[in-house]
Amino acid sequence: ETGVTQSPTHLIKTRGQQVTLRCSSQSGHNTVSWYQQALGQGPQFIFQYYREEENGRGNFPPRFSGLQFPNYSSELNVNALELDDSALYLCASSLQLALEQYFGPGTRLTVT
Amino acid sequence: LAKTTQPISMDSYEGQEVNITCSHNNIATNDYITWYQQFPSQGPRFIIQGYKTKVTNEVASLFIPADRKSSTLSLPRVSLSDTAVYYCLVGEVDSSYKLIFGSGTRLLVRP
């Protein structure tokens, strides 16, 4: 059984640029959630995808968008990057809608 | 939305039992209590989940009193590798099942 994988591991972008982060869910999981974790803080919920549809969104602006594909992998897109977007971005998958979620190792994004 | 309150940090020694208590005074009827563990530069890892009374698995026990306004995560005989941040979460009642993390408890296990 393959766990949740994310790519890339690290990324450095300039303010104003756009970025796409990718996540492959654990085998058999049809729900993917994205979280942002700033240094020293707990993860903050961005949004969730269930069977390719957005199923809940946290307090993040529209420049944070996402997709889920038929194989349940997912992308997180962030436009017009700001310095405060620098964080660890975590993807979590689960079987159906569940509180037991399996997290990937994250993508460390640095915006300069 | 049920907010959780837990100690910022705790210290322990190898071999001891560690109990981390979380307060969630506004927990709703349909909410479950879930605990996650996170090591530096890694994603959180699910530890245990419960609704009431006691739940035990191979890693930890979760004690929830009848009023459900608090819960205690118990880690038996901790080792150095249990040094991590532990998050107490109360599940959303809506259909999105988003996890709402607080600041967590930083547990340091000393030799």
XYZ file of all heavy atoms in Angstrom, chain B residues 4 9-10 20 22 34 43-44 68-69 81 84 89 95 107:
106
model
N -10.380 23.947 21.235
C -9.664 23.112 22.188
C -8.560 23.901 22.864
O -7.970 24.799 22.268
C -9.058 21.892 21.490
O -8.131 22.339 20.490
C -10.120 21.037 20.825
N 3.419 23.015 26.460
C 4.536 22.077 26.468
C 4.503 21.189 27.705
O 3.878 21.541 28.710
C 5.866 22.834 26.404
O 6.028 23.624 27.557
N 5.171 20.044 27.594
C 5.315 19.116 28.709
C 6.674 18.441 28.595
O 7.165 18.200 27.482
C 4.219 18.045 28.678
C 2.820 18.566 28.919
S 1.596 17.245 28.905
C 2.039 16.342 30.378
N -1.703 13.874 28.542
C -1.924 15.215 28.002
C -3.426 15.460 27.994
O -4.186 14.722 27.351
C -1.372 15.356 26.571
C 0.093 14.950 26.526
C -1.542 16.803 26.085
C 0.684 14.936 25.119
N -6.803 17.787 27.301
C -7.327 18.781 26.373
C -8.731 19.191 26.836
O -9.539 18.332 27.183
C -7.382 18.169 24.976
S -8.089 19.212 23.690
N -10.231 13.642 18.351
C -9.166 12.981 17.611
C -7.821 13.560 18.021
O -7.712 14.759 18.254
C -9.378 13.199 16.092
O -10.722 12.871 15.740
C -8.429 12.336 15.281
N 4.335 15.434 8.140
C 2.907 15.631 8.300
C 2.411 14.981 9.582
O 3.020 14.053 10.092
N 1.307 15.467 10.132
C 0.733 14.858 11.332
C 0.351 13.396 11.093
O 0.051 13.006 9.958
C -0.517 15.715 11.587
C -0.236 17.015 10.925
C 0.560 16.660 9.709
N -17.864 14.980 28.448
C -17.102 15.153 27.208
C -16.482 16.531 27.052
O -16.065 16.906 25.953
C -17.979 14.845 25.987
C -18.608 13.484 26.029
C -19.079 12.916 24.712
N -19.558 13.868 23.760
C -19.048 14.033 22.542
N -18.013 13.305 22.144
N -19.558 14.922 21.706
N -16.365 17.293 28.114
C -15.794 18.641 28.031
C -14.272 18.621 28.071
O -13.626 19.667 27.945
C -16.343 19.516 29.146
C -17.847 19.806 28.994
C -18.327 20.728 30.085
C -19.831 20.973 29.978
N -20.201 21.636 28.706
N 11.754 8.774 21.133
C 11.115 8.938 19.836
C 9.676 9.454 19.934
O 9.060 9.742 18.909
C 11.113 7.611 19.065
O 10.369 6.642 19.766
N 7.546 15.031 20.298
C 6.774 15.502 19.149
C 5.756 16.533 19.631
O 5.669 16.823 20.821
C 6.053 14.335 18.472
N -7.999 17.471 18.550
C -8.948 18.064 17.625
C -10.344 17.570 17.942
O -10.538 16.432 18.373
C -8.638 17.681 16.172
C -7.343 18.162 15.543
C -6.184 17.253 15.908
C -7.488 18.210 14.048
N -20.427 18.440 6.900
C -20.076 17.307 6.058
C -18.661 17.366 5.500
O -18.258 16.475 4.760
C -21.063 17.219 4.894
O -20.988 18.401 4.114
N 5.748 17.887 23.452
C 6.234 16.937 24.459
C 7.714 16.689 24.227
O 8.129 16.324 23.125
C 5.461 15.622 24.364
C 5.985 14.485 25.235
C 5.832 14.831 26.720
C 5.281 13.170 24.923
